């Protein structure tokens, strides 16, 4: 990473934040230093707004506590680290408006320790992280039955935020906002900017935090109150993750580089690049978006916090049928902080997004009663 930073003219800083993790009675057997590698590319217009992309450089064998085994970790998760590093290399000489952080974390297999440390460090410092992606197991397009799908990457997006207060969670359930969490809005944004001819990728949004009985480095960011999603290949081959390297019944086990599809990783990297660059060059999503529920009306009245962002040109109201996964209609607005739409809030899902002078638009914000 430090070699990449030399092309940034001082705009990229590489640090290695670390701490000593004490034994936890589970997968940490003795005191061990957890070190993350963090390359921060400072934004040229809004450097206080952060977007993070991460992979984890630790790996494991069949026994998660066997720290002496041969554990190549090519797919899980050298593939994700490769995406972070390649994007750092490509973007080091460029100037995003907001800050982009390229990370390789440690201790994922032992309990998400590196990501938890980084997320908590950001939270303690009141860093404005507006979006985080983890790329974990994005190195193969071939399933265990030989099925190939080289043009699909899943994005996992949590529904109801666990950080919502009890009162806010009740309101969200009442108004049908469970499919419009910040993570789901981020996933919709990714599909909108990265599912195209350039990336050649399909990006199905999976409406859950992660796969069953599994975890990833986006979770500590979500638990810290940040918006985060996970990218993962469409069909995993479990013979090539969390396995001792061996041949058994004529089957090769182990997370070996021979099973990695480098062209596929490049396509996933393009998805990440499109998402991160679009996020970092758009204005911030609108804050404190409310819908007026004090009057019975078939019109829908919205307000949001006025912004003096340099990038900002105006706003758009988005809407879709309640059973539609993506936005279907757009109503352009000027640089205002209120709007009335001749459509009942009871019949559709609304969102408000910011639009920049450069044409980049933010993820939408779901309005709560106000």
């Amino acid at each position: 990473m430090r070699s990449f930073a030399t092309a940034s003219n001082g705009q990229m800083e590489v640090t290695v934040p670390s701490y000593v993790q004490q034994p936890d009675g589970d997968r940490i057997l003795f005191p061990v230093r957890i070190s993350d590698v963090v390359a921060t590319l400072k934004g040229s217009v809004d450097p206080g707004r952060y977007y993070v992309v991460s992979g984890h450089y630790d790996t494991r064998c069949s026994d998660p506590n066997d720290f002496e085994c041969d554990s190549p970790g090519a797919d899980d998760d050298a593939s994700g680290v490769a995406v972070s590093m390649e994007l750092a290399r490509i973007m080091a000489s460029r100037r995003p408006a907001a800050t982009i952080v390229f990370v390789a974390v440690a201790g994922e297999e032992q309990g998400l320790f590196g990501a938890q440390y980084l997320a908590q460090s950001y939270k303690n410092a009141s860093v404005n992280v507006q979006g985080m992606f983890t790329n974990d197991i994005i190195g193969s397009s071939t399933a265990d039955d030989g099925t190939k799908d080289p043009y699909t990457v899943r994005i996992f997006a949590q529904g109801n935020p666990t950080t919502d207060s009890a009162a806010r969670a009740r309101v969200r359930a009442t108004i049908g906002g469970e499919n419009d969490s910040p993570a789901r809005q981020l996933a919709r944004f990714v599909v909108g900017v990265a599912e195209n001819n350039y990336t050649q990728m399909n990006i199905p949004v999976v409406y859950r935090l992660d796969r069953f009985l599994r975890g990833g480095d986006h979770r500590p960011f979500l638990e810290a109150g940040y918006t985060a999603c996970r990218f993962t290949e469409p069909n995993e081959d479990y013979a090539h993750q969390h396995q001792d390297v061996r041949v058994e019944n004529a089957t090769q086990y182990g997370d070996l580089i021979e099973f990695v599809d480098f062209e596929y990783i490049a396509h996933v990297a393009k998805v990440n690049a499109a998402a991160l660059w679009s996020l970092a060059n758009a204005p911030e999503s609108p804050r404190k978006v409310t819908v007026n529920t004090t009057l019975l009306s078939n019109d829908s009245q919205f307000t949001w916090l006025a912004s003096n962002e340099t990038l900002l040109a105006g706003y758009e109201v988005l809407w879709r049928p309640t059973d539609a996964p993506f936005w279907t209609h757009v109503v352009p607005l000027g640089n205002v902080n209120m709007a009335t739409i001749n459509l009942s809030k009871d019949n559709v899902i609304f969102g408000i997004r910011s639009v920049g002078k450069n044409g980049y638009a933010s993820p939408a914000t779901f309005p709560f009663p106000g």
Side-chain angles (χ1 to χ4, degrees):
M1 293 281 210
R2 290 195 172 103
S3 65
F4 304 154
T6 59
S8 73
N9 291 321
Q11 297 305 301
M12 178 180 282
E13 179 184 16
V14 179
T15 59
V16 187
S18 64
Y19 76 103
V20 175
Q21 173 64 44
Q22 297 301 318
D24 68 346
D26 187 10
R27 294 187 178 184
I28 301 292
L29 305 180
F30 46 80
V32 62
R33 182 167 294 279
I34 304 290
S35 299
D36 299 330
V37 181
V38 181
T40 303
L41 180 61
K42 184 184 296 184
S44 60
V45 178
D46 189 1
R49 177 160 50 101
Y50 278 47
Y51 297 95
V52 179
V53 61
S54 175
H56 69 86
Y57 67 84
D58 63 295
T59 184
R60 56 163 283 189
C61 295
S62 301
D63 178 357
N65 290 336
D66 182 354
F67 53 87
E68 295 182 335
C69 62
D70 180 14
S71 179
D75 190 6
D76 184 15
D77 185 36
S79 62
V81 172
V83 168
S84 285
M85 294 183 67
E86 178 65 358
L87 294 184
R89 184 189 70 83
I90 291 170
M91 294 187 184
S93 60
R94 292 165 170 78
R95 295 292 171 266
T99 295
I100 304 177
V101 187
F102 312 91
V103 185
V105 298
E108 192 271 351
E109 302 289 6
Q110 284 65 47
L112 313 178
F113 287 104
Q116 186 175 55
Y117 178 65
L118 184 62
Q120 195 61 47
S121 296
Y122 282 146
K123 182 178 180 179
N124 292 344
S126 299
V127 175
N128 180 22
V129 178
Q130 284 289 299
M132 182 272 185
F133 300 115
T134 183
N135 288 271
D136 195 349
I137 311 179
I138 50 91
S140 175
S141 59
T142 306
D144 52 5
D145 63 359
T147 301
K148 293 183 180 294
D149 190 354
Y151 299 108
T152 298
V153 62
R154 294 177 288 176
I155 184 168
F156 287 84
Q158 182 189 52
N160 295 329
T162 58
T163 53
D164 271 357
S165 66
R168 189 172 178 87
R170 284 194 297 271
V171 173
R172 188 185 293 277
T174 300
I175 62 178
E178 62 277 357
N179 201 25
D180 283 83
S181 64
R184 299 271 169 92
Q185 302 293 10
L186 182 60
R188 288 188 182 94
F189 177 91
V190 170
V191 173
V193 301
E195 193 175 80
N196 52 45
N197 291 334
Y198 172 71
T199 67
Q200 299 179 286
M201 294 295 279
N202 302 308
I203 311 170
V205 180
V206 182
Y207 291 152
R208 54 173 52 103
L209 169 65
D210 210 322
R211 301 142 307 152
F212 279 85
L213 303 178
R214 307 293 291 276
D217 289 319
H218 59 313
R219 193 175 76 193
F221 279 81
L222 289 162
E223 291 171 345
Y226 295 128
T227 303
C229 293
R230 173 188 180 128
F231 289 111
T232 297
E233 63 200 35
N235 300 295
E236 299 173 62
D237 187 339
Y238 300 109
H240 302 147
Q241 56 178 269
H242 299 182
Q243 293 284 353
D244 292 339
V245 177
R246 68 192 189 282
V247 176
E248 188 174 293
N249 297 324
T251 298
Q252 176 67 65
Y253 289 85
D255 194 352
L256 299 165
I257 198 168
E258 65 196 72
F259 301 112
V260 168
D261 181 340
F262 293 101
E263 188 69 23
Y264 177 75
I265 298 175
H267 283 294
V268 176
K270 288 180 180 180
V271 168
N272 280 261
L276 288 164
W277 192 256
S278 298
L279 287 164
N281 286 288
E284 188 172 358
S285 295
R287 292 176 178 264
K288 297 184 177 180
V289 180
T290 63
V291 56
N292 188 348
T293 56
T294 61
L295 297 173
L296 292 176
S297 172
N298 286 317
D299 290 339
S300 297
Q301 301 174 351
F302 305 96
T303 62
W304 53 91
L305 192 66
S307 173
N308 59 359
E309 274 192 271
T310 303
L311 295 172
L312 183 67
Y315 298 91
E316 292 175 340
V317 175
L318 312 177
W319 65 269
R320 68 182 197 274
T322 60
D323 60 350
F326 301 106
W327 303 113
T328 56
H329 294 74
V330 181
V331 180
L333 305 171
N335 191 355
V336 297
N337 71 327
M338 62 180 63
T340 299
I341 304 298
N342 185 22
L343 190 64
S344 173
K345 57 188 171 294
D346 298 326
N347 298 335
V348 300
I349 300 292
F350 282 105
I352 312 293
R353 71 182 178 191
S354 306
V355 180
K357 297 170 184 175
N358 54 11
Y360 287 101
S362 74
T365 301
F366 178 68
F368 270 67

